[in-house]
Amino acid sequence: MLESLEAFVQGFLNYADLFRFGFLMLGVLVGIFIGVVPALGGIVAMSLLLPLVFGMDKIAALSMLVAIHAISGTGDNITSILMGLPGSGPAAITLLDGFPMTRKGEPGKALGAMMCADTMGALLGVGLAFVMIPIVRPLVMSFGNSELFFLILMGLSFLAILSKESPVKGLMAGFTGIILSLVGLQHSTGVDRFAFGKDFLLGGLDIVPVILGLFAGAEMFQMAVFKETIVPGGVVKAGKELRRQFFAGVKEVFQHKWLWFRSCVLGYVMGLIPGIGSEVAVWVSYGQAKQTSKHPELFGTGCIEGIIAPESTNNAKEGASLLTTLCLGLPSGVAMAILLGALLLQGVIPGPSILTTDLELTFTLIWGLALANIIGAVLCFYIIGYLNLTWLTTLPPRVLVPTILSVVYLGSYTTDNQIAAIGVTIVFSIIGLVMKRGGYSRAAMVLGFILGRFFEGYFFLALQTMGPLFFLRPASLGIIVIIISLYIYRPIQSFMQRRRGRSALEEIAGEEP
Amino acid sequence: MNVHILIPLIVAGAMVAVIAVASGYPYLQAKLSVIFSGSLVLVLALVQLARELTLKKRQADEPRADQRKPEHHAETVQYGLEFAWLVGFGLMIYLLGFFVAIPLYVFAYMKSHGSRWWASLITGALLPAFCYGIFVLLLEMKLHRGEIFMRWGF
């Protein structure tokens, strides 16, 4: 225990070295810059910088990569909130409530809440890492294909909840998303499903062109038709007012401390499980926030809880993902796989032995993640509050539409270097606009699209490896209970409220002479 | 026809096609998820269609609040025009490549939508320069050069 505490403190003190701190800062700057460009997330930046890692100081190199990964999501969220331009799955969910807040003239509040939830989520991730190290191995090992399948099912169970207007429309959009995710070669049989032999479809539709089309493309299309600016009344607050909004957003996180804490713990647990990327974790978090909110009808219209929950989850998840990558050698996603490569390049062998041989490095990187988030939040505050990026939202559509559309098409193309990706974006821009006009949830479609392939894959894997009674494993049953309780929570809550109201009325009636 | 009726109708039609195609797949693993999801969406689309039709009957004289009523024809024309810009830009990129299509499109779009010529020209020049700086110089990415130029050997 004392040894762990010593490594924990030493991990922090490693950043007192200016050289290492400088590389952490460099990672933060690269992360912000690359994050704001659609489709150029942290993964691209990390893979580009990976060859530089060889021969560099171990802590400096790995801290730089961790910082890029931690901050690129924040950069991505800035364009998502201000311009409705998401570059990844997790940023698309921040857009759902962040962009409407910008349109209502509250961009600072949305950005403040996003950054505070991000930073505090990462800090809690560091705290939890210290507590979780002894139990991480048995917990991770208790998760098999069956549990992963039920976790995906938990995410999918939010399909109906995501639709504001009607659950039928939400389910329709979500299951259409699942069908779209099945386009391409089926992994276990090699059957070509709806790809019609086209090379670019055989690998499946890429998430980035789909999201860019559904959200950014559709918004630009509508903006062009109705000649609207992002903020219709031109009421974006600048300077002091924007900073006041920013702090109001920060305050909102503290006012929703239980939602924040719940989302962080959820993110942390999901981050420990290999195979569950940010995409799944943030949607589950958004769903639970909506399901347990006092005003679920406000979600998707600019509700601050819709920003706090996924952002806290996303960053708390990173601390846990880093822990499983280092301690078990099991990366939770592509970014962590790149980090795993960097560790090997540096001669560090990830695995349980790292807890005895390189415990200090483990804590150093976890601290790096937290410090990068703090520095990133401060930098972003200055960029937004003083450079006032929100002026972009007041640009007229004749300037905004061609500019953003150029970036959207470039972003789509660079995901796979396929010109057909632009075609996919155009098709999904039209689908997105039709869905918006018809009151169908684009978020539900994205959720179905992200989870669809996992759902099918884990289902067959669980069936093959554990047989038809795969759902009887204790951990699976635990997740099934959570899914059921999420669904019965609201009816029970309203029943209790009705009963309380009725008994109060009876009491008043009884007191009357 | 109303967009609220048209959407479930198109989706239902598409799902019939999806189920028909998937039924022909040789393995159960390949067709199970598609047929299950397709059937579910088909049922949901039919339910939604029925709801819209009964709603339309009830509200025959009352237009929906979420629909923009006036200038319906002008709106359709506007949709068509913007659709042409959207698709046209994609085609321009395919034929001429990013660094010719972007300045041309930005300039033409801004100018035709009422911007001053110098503003259109400056934006049209700055945007590709910015993209070139990031994607080509910094990230060393190879962007599409355009079918026409590639055929000519550029």
Side-chain angles (χ1 to χ4, degrees):
Chain A
M1 185 67 190
L2 198 69
E3 210 175 291
S4 297
L5 194 67
E6 202 183 315
F8 187 72
V9 176
Q10 189 54 45
F12 179 73
L13 292 177
N14 275 336
Y15 290 106
D17 182 326
L18 273 181
F19 177 74
R20 289 163 175 172
F21 188 73
F23 270 92
L24 186 83
M25 282 289 288
L26 181 69
V28 171
L29 291 172
V30 172
I32 294 175
F33 179 70
I34 215 106
V36 295
V37 184
L40 287 187
I43 293 166
V44 174
M46 283 171 87
S47 23
L48 284 169
L49 292 174
L50 189 63
L52 300 180
V53 165
F54 191 70
M56 263 176 78
D57 172 71
K58 189 164 62 181
I59 291 174
L62 295 172
S63 301
M64 180 178 71
L65 293 183
V66 165
I68 291 172
H69 175 56
I71 295 303
S72 59
T74 309
D76 199 356
N77 282 333
I78 293 174
T79 48
S80 240
I81 289 174
L82 291 181
M83 317 187 81
L85 191 60
S88 64
I93 200 149
T94 313
L95 174 149
L96 294 181
D97 285 284
F99 191 53
M101 280 183 78
T102 298
R103 300 202 76 162
K104 284 197 280 189
E106 295 179 319
K109 199 172 171 184
L111 289 165
M114 179 270 288
M115 279 173 205
C116 182
D118 261 359
T119 311
M120 283 176 48
L123 286 175
L124 190 74
V126 173
L128 285 174
F130 186 66
V131 182
M132 294 293 277
I133 277 186
I135 55 165
V136 64
R137 195 177 158 82
L139 189 77
V140 172
M141 292 309 171
S142 68
F143 270 80
N145 293 323
S146 160
E147 287 72 27
L148 290 172
F149 167 74
F150 284 108
L151 270 178
I152 303 294
L153 191 68
M154 184 155 98
L156 283 174
S157 68
F158 295 121
L159 278 178
I161 300 167
L162 280 171
S163 188
K164 268 181 284 172
E165 208 172 292
S166 96
V168 175
K169 286 182 174 180
L171 286 170
M172 245 175 94
F175 277 90
T176 308
I178 292 180
I179 295 171
L180 289 168
S181 77
L182 300 175
V183 171
L185 285 182
Q186 208 266 339
H187 293 299
S188 53
T189 59
V191 171
D192 166 351
R193 294 190 295 197
F194 310 110
F196 309 107
K198 300 278 176 212
D199 285 348
F200 76 97
L201 284 176
L202 283 174
L205 290 167
D206 202 302
I207 181 78
V208 175
V210 172
I211 286 182
L212 282 174
L214 275 179
F215 291 100
E219 291 297 337
M220 288 306 112
F221 199 169
Q222 172 154 319
M223 202 182 278
V225 172
F226 295 108
K227 309 272 179 274
E228 291 170 344
T229 54
I230 289 178
V231 185
V235 286
V236 168
K237 314 283 195 301
K240 262 186 188 172
E241 182 54 29
L242 189 72
R243 291 194 286 276
R244 191 196 59 75
Q245 273 192 10
F246 190 93
F247 288 117
V250 171
K251 211 171 139 190
E252 286 281 353
V253 180
F254 289 98
Q255 280 168 353
H256 293 92
K257 51 185 176 295
W258 289 115
L259 172 70
W260 166 79
F261 184 73
R262 205 169 58 229
S263 308
C264 284
V265 173
L266 177 78
Y268 201 85
V269 172
M270 293 194 86
L272 286 174
I273 307 158
I276 300 287
S278 302
E279 280 90 355
V280 182
V282 292
W283 287 98
V284 170
S285 177
Y286 188 84
Q288 64 84 23
K290 188 172 180 182
Q291 187 70 333
T292 54
S293 169
K294 285 177 187 155
H295 39 75
E297 71 286 352
L298 294 181
F299 276 67
T301 62
C303 178
I304 201 89
E305 289 158 77
I307 297 176
I308 296 169
E311 286 308 315
S312 320
T313 297
N314 200 15
N315 273 31
K317 183 196 149 294
E318 295 309 337
S321 301
L322 191 61
L323 202 63
T324 49
T325 308
L326 291 167
C327 302
L328 301 172
L330 297 170
S332 64
V334 183
M336 285 299 145
I338 295 171
L339 192 72
L340 197 68
L343 283 165
L344 293 170
L345 275 175
Q346 284 286 349
V348 180
I349 310 293
S353 60
I354 207 170
L355 296 179
T356 46
T357 56
D358 259 319
L359 186 61
E360 191 185 307
L361 177 72
T362 308
F363 280 120
T364 305
L365 294 185
I366 291 169
W367 271 115
L369 193 71
L371 283 173
N373 273 287
I374 296 171
I375 297 164
V378 173
L379 274 176
C380 286
F381 168 70
Y382 276 96
I383 291 169
I384 294 157
Y386 289 91
L387 296 180
N388 191 18
L389 281 182
T390 53
W391 67 270
L392 287 168
T393 60
T394 56
L395 286 173
R398 63 173 184 271
V399 179
L400 216 51
V401 171
T403 312
I404 291 187
L405 219 51
S406 303
V407 179
V408 164
Y409 284 177
L410 258 169
S412 295
Y413 175 80
T414 49
T415 50
D416 216 3
N417 274 12
Q418 296 253 26
I419 201 77
I422 294 175
V424 173
T425 303
I426 293 173
V427 171
F428 277 92
S429 300
I430 297 158
I431 292 175
L433 186 71
V434 172
M435 287 178 80
K436 198 178 174 189
R437 300 276 285 150
Y440 289 81
S441 166
R442 291 174 290 172
M445 180 177 264
V446 173
L447 177 61
F449 184 79
I450 289 170
L451 300 186
R453 202 171 289 187
F454 288 114
F455 181 73
E456 187 192 47
Y458 285 126
F459 174 73
F460 284 119
L461 276 173
L463 203 63
Q464 280 162 3
T465 53
M466 295 160 194
L469 296 178
F470 64 83
F471 53 88
L472 289 178
R473 282 163 57 99
S476 300
L477 287 171
I479 302 169
I480 293 170
V481 169
I482 294 172
I483 297 172
I484 294 168
S485 53
L486 273 172
Y487 264 83
I488 60 171
Y489 172 79
R490 189 159 290 285
I492 289 178
Q493 194 190 31
S494 52
F495 172 75
M496 296 294 276
Q497 273 171 352
R498 271 204 307 274
R499 212 173 131 182
R500 240 177 276 145
R502 209 181 302 145
S503 56
L505 275 174
E506 279 168 8
E507 260 176 46
I508 293 165
E511 280 168 18
E512 277 174 13
Chain B
M1 198 187 274
N2 189 327
V3 69
H4 295 276
I5 294 171
L6 210 59
I7 296 173
L9 204 64
I10 293 172
V11 171
M15 287 309 130
V16 170
V18 162
I19 295 164
V21 172
S23 311
Y25 293 153
Y27 302 100
L28 180 72
Q29 277 151 305
K31 59 176 141 187
L32 186 67
S33 315
V34 185
I35 294 179
F36 170 73
S37 308
S39 311
L40 202 66
V41 178
L42 178 63
V43 172
L44 290 166
L46 292 175
V47 169
Q48 187 59 30
L49 188 64
R51 285 169 71 171
E52 292 294 347
L53 286 172
T54 48
L55 195 78
K56 203 190 171 194
K57 248 184 207 170
R58 260 185 279 137
Q59 301 178 332
D61 303 322
E62 294 172 40
R64 290 171 85 120
D66 58 341
Q67 277 183 313
R68 293 167 199 243
K69 296 173 287 178
E71 303 114 21
H72 186 72
H73 177 70
E75 198 181 290
T76 314
V77 171
Q78 198 58 34
Y79 269 116
L81 275 175
E82 292 304 332
F83 175 74
W85 278 107
L86 192 83
V87 178
F89 183 33
L91 269 174
M92 273 167 80
I93 293 172
Y94 174 68
L95 294 171
L96 304 170
F98 280 100
F99 293 113
V100 177
I102 291 178
L104 273 180
Y105 168 73
V106 173
F107 177 78
Y109 189 94
M110 284 180 68
K111 191 77 198 73
S112 68
H113 284 70
S115 286
R116 292 185 184 152
W117 70 268
W118 57 265
S120 316
L121 209 63
I122 291 172
T123 318
L126 282 181
L127 189 63
F130 174 74
C131 295
Y132 186 82
I134 291 179
F135 289 94
V136 179
L137 295 183
L138 210 63
L139 300 171
E140 294 178 356
M141 284 184 170
K142 282 186 180 164
L143 297 180
H144 183 66
R145 285 175 293 142
E147 278 299 305
I148 292 176
F149 296 120
M150 283 197 289
R151 287 218 178 149
W152 285 350
F154 283 104

